[in-house]
Amino acid sequence: MRLEFLENGPIRLEGARFRIRLGEKEEVLEKPRIFLCRCGGSANKPFCDGTHKRIGFQAEGGVLEVEGD
Ligand code: FES
């Protein structure tokens, strides 16, 4: 798995199928990529809704690669 920390923005995950559990709710998303909020300002957590631009969130970009399964 590869997580990309976009400069001044969200975390991008590439994939085709994501299983997300939030509290009692579980959802499967079929998408080529998703963007997770890391600024804390999204009204649609855990997903980015673009608020990071409005609030001037600043953070370095980077990559985290998870090896193994
Ligand atoms: S990173 Fe985009 S709304 Fe938080």
Side-chain angles (χ1 to χ4, degrees):
M1 179 188 296
R2 182 175 195 271
L3 292 81
E4 185 177 357
F5 299 84
L6 302 182
E7 184 176 353
N8 304 327
I11 300 167
R12 176 169 54 201
L13 284 103
E14 299 282 341
R17 186 175 167 92
F18 301 92
R19 183 181 309 273
I20 297 179
R21 286 187 208 104
L22 295 172
E24 300 289 314
K25 208 169 92 182
E26 181 172 310
E27 190 175 355
V28 174
L29 302 172
E30 306 267 353
K31 294 184 170 194
R33 68 193 59 82
I34 60 174
F35 295 88
L36 299 176
C37 177
R38 70 170 170 147
C39 75
S42 174
N44 188 31
K45 293 182 187 79
F47 304 104
C48 171
D49 70 355
T51 297
H52 61 274
K53 294 177 194 161
R54 186 172 50 78
I55 65 176
F57 175 70
Q58 293 187 328
E60 287 185 20
V63 172
L64 172 69
E65 292 184 353
V66 181
E67 298 179 354
D69 46 18

